Every structure is written in structure tokens, then in C-alpha cells.
Amino acid sequence: MTMIQPIILCGGSGTRLWPLSRKSLPKQFVPLINGKSLLQITFERISKLTKGQPVWTVANDEHRFLVCDAADAAGVSIKCILEPIGRNTAAAMAAAALNFSSDELLLFLPADHYIPDVDLFIQTVESGLAPSVEGALVTFGISPSRPHTGYGYIQVDDTEDDVKPVSRFVEKPDQTTALSYFSSGNFFWNAGIFLVKAGVLIDGLSKHASDILIASQRAVEKQNVNGDFIHLDKQSFSNCRAQSIDYAVLEKHSNVKMIPFRGVWSDVGSWNAVAELTETDANNNRVVGNGRTYNATSTYINAPHRPVIALGTEELFIVDTKDAVLVAANSHAEQVKDIVAELEQQKVVQATEHRHATRPWGEYDAIDEGHRFKVKRITVKPGASLSLQLHHHRAEHWIVVKGTAKVTCEDKTFLLSENQSTYIPIRSKHRLENPGAIPLEMIEVQSGSYLGEDDIERFDDQYGRISKSKH
């Protein structure tokens, strides 16, 4: 059988799932389903196709270590194409296709979809082998379960064959139009999953979006390969026009086929969609975490950290995080992204950043902050180390809570164990390492005139971050 190479597209900010999903931690990386992220679940789903070979991904450079964490959790190896800036799916798919020979069969799929029936999904994908090998651009449509207005649609010719010629792609319809699509039987939801030869995709881009292809070619020609990471050239890729593959190629291409997927599918695109993945109680309430409902109906609570009580509520969803809370009517789920955009314009930090952040060496939680001080709880993975760095505007006090810390401060290197502490003066070169076999947990108290994450100068870093950066 012809080998299929999956390529997972990891872009997207997931602002509809704020405050859990933010630009610093988009929804595909958030543990939404049984403690697993959607990206981890996607890795697990397509592992049957790879037969032990690396799974390719396209992701934003800022999220590269989040991709690695999800791959490790799923037990798969990866090759990751890194975009210096998001340019939508046409450029992402072009950059990926240009890294393969023209006869390679590529399966492009989003990182943030939920498809529980893995065997049916694999079977459906494999049914697209023949038409894609023959030169068709194959897409997979979802059999609609209701007249949904939040999805784009694919209209196909009315044939009994499961490989159906595509007539047109349609944008998100109004309710009346969606009802007519649902009743007709030859409209399917557009899932954004494609099976195509690399050469066929490149030819399609050449005919219909040559500027995107040319910019992507320049970015690939100058790309830098560093282990499992492939860094696209920043200037070339930044000059690329941002457009979806649907607009750039599919709507204009002459040989597009669609195969229906008849299993359960969700793009997890709103809090209502997330709620549908949770079991209901007798009053149609759905609760994740520490939520409690009393005399409530049709209320969804996501409360991973602390008790959240809903009393006498109806048709609401409540999402609680450590630094922001969302309470909204179910009917307004699609408007969350608009609120986030407004918060971002107002420079509300919580619109884009979590107080909790993942780093390649571990994670931190900014547990308190005030005038000229910030307190973090830091966890460092066994064997991991932070970069050799200094801060120009702040000093730091470190207190070890659990494990052992190896500390470098200027010309001194020493160990700290539980309940011991040290002081890192302003402008002192320093490094924190975990030499032990268990996670290192410590409290860091910062003090100074400026406490931003970008006040950092790196001198040595095992993660390739030798620059002034907040990463």
C-alpha cells in the first residue's frame, strides 16, 4: 500500500475558547479532553498511518516545545516545520509540500479536531488513496448532524459513489440557508482535511496562488535545519500573503474530490462544542473539575482549580482559570473571540497570556504580583536547565521547595536542597539546573524597576534561544 505521510497543521489561536485558550497557549495545546490536549489526541489518532516513522507538523516557532511535549505524551517522533509568523494554511501547506518529493502522498489535518472513532477515520482516509494517487486533490467532508451555521460547507455532485466530485465550497451560511443545505443531502461540513500528492498541491498553488508558492519556495530554500526542527527563513516567509488553502486553491481547482466521514467529529470551535463532549446530568448540566450546580439547568462549568458554584442558572457556560473568568449565555458562544479582540486592543494582558507558562525546561506559575515585585512557582524537569542569563532590571530570590537545585551565579556553582535559598543580584550571570531524578520545585521572588519577561539576556542555551527574548 502507498505510504501516507501525515502533516499536522498546528496554527491557530483558538480565541473562541478563551480564557482557557490564549495566544500563548492555543486550544490545541490545552488539556481539554480527559487530561489530554487535542494535539496529543491527533498524534495518537494518526500514529497507525506512520508505522513508526516521524509525524511532520507545521507550527509557530513560539510553540515548538509545546508540540514536542504533546508528541512525547503520545509516544511519537516528529519533524517540525517552524513558521516565524502565521500565514494561514496555504503557505503552511506549501512549505510542507516543498520539503517532499512530488510523488509523496501527504495527509494534511488540523491539530485541534476531535475524532473518537480512530479505525473509521483511518479507513476513510485510506479510501482516498486511489483518487489521490491518480492526481485528485481529495478532501474529507463531515456528514452534517444538524443545520450548523458555524461551519463552511462542501457541495458535491449527487452520485452514489463515496468518492464525490466537488461542485463548490460555500462559506458559513445563515440559518435558513444552512437548513436547506442540511435537507438537500449533498452538502457536507468542510473539515479542512486533505490528501494530495506534494506535486499536485504545488501545481495547484502555481496556477492559482503563485505569489504564495514563490514566497514559500524562498523560505524553504533558505530554511535552517536544527535536529528535528526546520526553521523557515523569516524574511521570505513574512513576505508571504496570508490566505487559507480553500480560497487560494480549492475553490479554483478543477480536480477536487470529497469523501464523506460518517463518524463523530468536532472542531471543538466554541465552548458549546466543548460542552457537548462532556456527559450531562439529569438537568442537562455539564461539569468539568470542581464545579457544583444547584437548581441549575443547561449550565456548563469548567473549573479545574477551585470550587465554582452555579445556583439557579440557565443556559450558561462558566469557565474559571487562575487569572480570568468567563460567564456567558450559551447563545453567545461564537462572540467570545470578539470580546478577546477588544480586550487585546485595551492591552489587557490576560487576553493573550496565561499566568501559567510552559517552557522547554518545565513551567512556571506567576502566583502574585504588585508594585516592584513578582512571585513565581517554578518547576524544572529532571536533568533540565535554564539558560545562562542575566536581568538588567531585577534581582531574584530563590527558595527550594522540593528536589535539588544546581545554581550558578557569576563564578560560583553550588547545590541547594529543600528549604534552602539564595539571592541573584541584578546584572549577575546565573543559571538554574535540576541535577536530580525528580522535578525541582522552587519559589522565585523578583524585585526591581521592571519585571517583564523580555528583561533577559542569554549567553548559553541548550534550546537555541540565544537572543533577547521572552522565550
Side-chain angles (χ1 to χ4, degrees):
M1 179 179 288
T2 304
M3 179 70 178
I4 296 173
Q5 175 61 62
I7 301 175
I8 302 175
L9 304 175
C10 301
S13 58
T15 53
R16 287 182 179 86
L17 297 190
W18 185 88
L20 206 57
S21 171
R22 308 184 197 182
K23 282 186 178 179
S24 63
L25 188 71
K27 71 171 181 177
Q28 58 269 29
F29 304 113
V30 175
L32 275 175
I33 301 173
N34 298 325
K36 295 182 179 182
S37 70
L38 292 167
L39 178 56
Q40 179 184 340
I41 292 170
T42 302
F43 276 132
E44 292 172 349
R45 183 189 323 130
I46 53 86
S47 61
K48 286 188 176 181
L49 288 173
T50 62
K51 299 178 173 31
Q53 296 301 308
V55 179
W56 283 63
T57 65
V58 184
N60 189 287
D61 183 72
E62 294 185 2
H63 300 144
R64 62 194 185 279
F65 298 110
L66 296 174
V67 176
C68 289
D69 287 344
D72 288 343
V76 300
S77 58
I78 60 169
K79 296 286 285 186
C80 190
I81 298 173
L82 297 175
E83 300 174 302
I85 187 170
R87 283 294 180 258
N88 216 313
T89 53
M93 291 170 64
L98 289 164
N99 273 277
F100 290 90
S101 64
S102 60
D103 287 333
E104 290 270 8
L105 198 56
L106 309 179
L107 174 68
F108 293 95
L109 63 165
D112 55 359
H113 290 183
Y114 179 63
I115 303 172
D117 194 335
V118 175
D119 290 337
L120 179 59
F121 175 76
I122 299 297
Q123 178 185 333
T124 304
V125 168
E126 291 178 340
S127 68
L129 276 169
S132 57
V133 167
E134 292 169 3
L137 201 164
V138 176
T139 186
F140 299 88
I142 307 301
S143 299
S145 57
R146 60 188 184 279
H148 205 297
T149 59
Y151 299 142
Y153 283 73
I154 304 170
Q155 184 180 9
V156 297
D157 293 348
D158 191 10
T159 64
E160 294 186 3
D161 191 352
D162 251 3
V163 181
K164 302 177 184 294
V166 172
S167 300
R168 61 176 177 141
F169 291 83
V170 186
E171 283 303 294
K172 297 174 182 178
D174 58 30
Q175 188 63 49
T176 302
T177 306
L179 185 58
S180 69
Y181 290 169
F182 181 68
S183 303
S184 74
N186 61 338
F187 282 84
F188 294 78
W189 293 337
N190 184 358
I193 303 173
F194 311 102
L195 184 64
V196 60
K197 281 184 177 179
V200 170
L201 177 61
I202 291 169
D203 287 345
L205 287 159
S206 179
K207 291 175 183 176
H208 307 300
S210 58
D211 61 319
I212 292 177
L213 178 62
I214 290 169
S216 300
Q217 285 173 327
R218 289 172 179 164
V220 170
E221 286 168 0
K222 298 177 183 178
Q223 70 188 15
N224 176 41
V225 180
N226 180 16
D228 295 331
F229 295 126
I230 300 171
H231 300 261
L232 297 172
D233 180 66
K234 183 174 183 178
Q235 181 175 349
S236 302
F237 199 73
S238 298
N239 290 335
C240 186
R241 173 166 57 90
Q243 192 173 38
S244 71
I245 195 67
D246 304 70
Y247 282 130
V249 175
L250 268 70
E251 292 184 354
K252 307 164 189 173
H253 201 59
S254 58
N255 187 12
V256 183
K257 308 290 187 184
M258 191 216 75
I259 296 174
F261 175 69
R262 305 192 187 281
V264 174
W265 169 90
S266 173
D267 71 342
V268 200
S270 70
W271 279 114
N272 286 339
V274 175
E276 289 175 358
L277 303 177
T278 307
E279 291 186 7
T280 63
D281 64 14
N283 295 312
N284 201 39
N285 298 308
R286 305 169 192 263
V287 176
V288 175
N290 297 313
R292 301 286 188 275
T293 59
Y294 298 92
N295 298 321
T297 58
S298 300
T299 295
Y300 171 76
I301 303 176
N302 190 299
H305 304 295
R306 55 189 169 185
V308 173
I309 311 302
L311 173 60
T313 58
E314 297 180 8
E315 302 288 339
L316 286 182
F317 55 89
I318 303 166
V319 183
D320 180 52
T321 67
K322 292 179 178 179
D323 59 353
V325 179
L326 174 67
V327 180
N330 295 346
S331 58
H332 288 256
E334 294 293 334
Q335 295 173 249
V336 172
K337 62 181 177 62
D338 300 324
I339 301 302
V340 174
E342 185 173 326
L343 292 174
E344 192 170 353
Q345 285 184 346
Q346 296 170 356
K347 301 189 183 305
V348 176
V349 173
Q350 289 86 350
T352 58
E353 300 287 334
H354 273 285
R355 82 173 212 187
H356 176 273
T358 301
R359 293 291 183 261
W361 43 260
E363 59 189 1
Y364 71 77
D365 184 11
I367 57 180
D368 197 10
E369 185 172 1
H371 180 59
R372 295 181 63 90
F373 82 91
K374 182 185 289 187
V375 182
K376 290 182 177 179
R377 185 182 185 98
I378 295 175
T379 302
V380 184
K381 299 174 183 176
S385 67
L386 283 67
S387 57
L388 181 65
Q389 58 187 253
L390 66 76
H391 308 296
H392 294 278
H393 304 285
R394 71 174 186 252
E396 296 176 346
H397 296 259
W398 294 349
I399 305 166
V400 176
V401 176
K402 178 182 177 182
T404 301
K406 182 180 179 181
V407 179
T408 298
C409 185
E410 292 295 346
D411 57 352
K412 296 180 180 178
T413 299
F414 51 92
L415 296 177
L416 295 177
S417 55
E418 293 181 13
N419 298 318
Q420 292 183 321
S421 63
T422 191
Y423 169 65
I424 308 296
I426 292 176
R427 290 184 290 277
S428 295
K429 282 187 182 181
H430 62 277
R431 188 197 295 270
L432 174 65
E433 303 174 64
N434 179 3
I438 64 172
L440 164 65
E441 296 183 12
M442 53 175 282
I443 301 297
E444 175 183 271
V445 181
Q446 303 175 0
S447 60
S449 60
Y450 178 72
L451 305 174
E453 292 299 318
D454 55 350
D455 177 23
I456 181 170
E457 183 175 353
R458 292 189 172 94
F459 302 93
D460 178 55
D461 180 73
Q462 68 185 85
Y463 309 108
R465 305 170 299 169
I466 305 298
S467 64
K468 289 186 179 182
S469 164
K470 66 179 180 179
H471 304 291

